[in-house]
Amino acid sequence: AGMGWDSAMATGGWRPSAELKLRAARVRFDGVPMSSASDHVRRVDIIRHVLGLATADARPAAAVYFGDRPWDFRAATALGMPFFGIGRGTAADRLRGAGATVVIDDLSDTARLEELLSAEGPAAR
């Protein structure tokens, strides 16, 4: 969480595998809502689940999806969510090829993240 946003995690992988990777990367996720292939098969359903949504047209005032694969972009688009791609080189090219207009190298540039999130926040809508 930060800048007035709450965080949630959605992954197309199994939850035990995701938790193992997060622990190995020393990413704190206790108390962060998470949905995975352990909960649903379709990515849009995984995202809906983590947001606590009953239907695709009932969503929070503002939600943004960060992803690193073209299917992440397609799921966010299907749900009408803004999408920020994460990737370099070929991965970035694949995201742009899928239609992503915002692609950043990684999440380390907090000033750029703040700029992007400010543009998508409730006040911007």
Side-chain angles (χ1 to χ4, degrees):
M3 297 176 273
W5 291 82
D6 292 323
S7 297
M9 295 182 188
T11 177
W14 300 107
R15 186 178 184 110
S17 177
E19 289 180 356
L20 178 67
K21 290 176 184 179
L22 290 166
R23 280 190 200 95
R26 294 192 159 109
V27 173
R28 301 179 106 200
F29 62 93
D30 292 339
V32 176
M34 184 188 303
S35 185
S36 69
S38 298
D39 302 302
H40 295 280
V41 174
R42 294 181 39 217
R43 291 179 193 281
V44 293
D45 294 331
I46 292 169
I47 297 167
R48 281 187 194 128
H49 181 254
V50 79
L51 293 174
L53 300 177
T55 64
D57 58 359
R59 62 185 177 115
V64 176
Y65 191 87
F66 288 82
D68 61 356
R69 299 286 190 260
W71 54 73
D72 293 316
F73 172 77
R74 289 191 295 272
T77 300
L79 292 169
M81 297 174 69
F83 176 81
F84 298 155
I86 303 168
R88 293 186 175 107
T90 304
D93 293 342
R94 286 187 186 127
L95 288 166
R96 288 186 187 98
T101 57
V102 176
V103 180
I104 58 177
D105 287 348
D106 56 44
L107 298 176
S108 65
D109 185 349
T110 56
R112 178 72 173 135
L113 288 175
E114 186 171 354
E115 174 188 323
L116 291 168
L117 290 171
S118 293
E120 291 299 336
R125 296 195 174 214

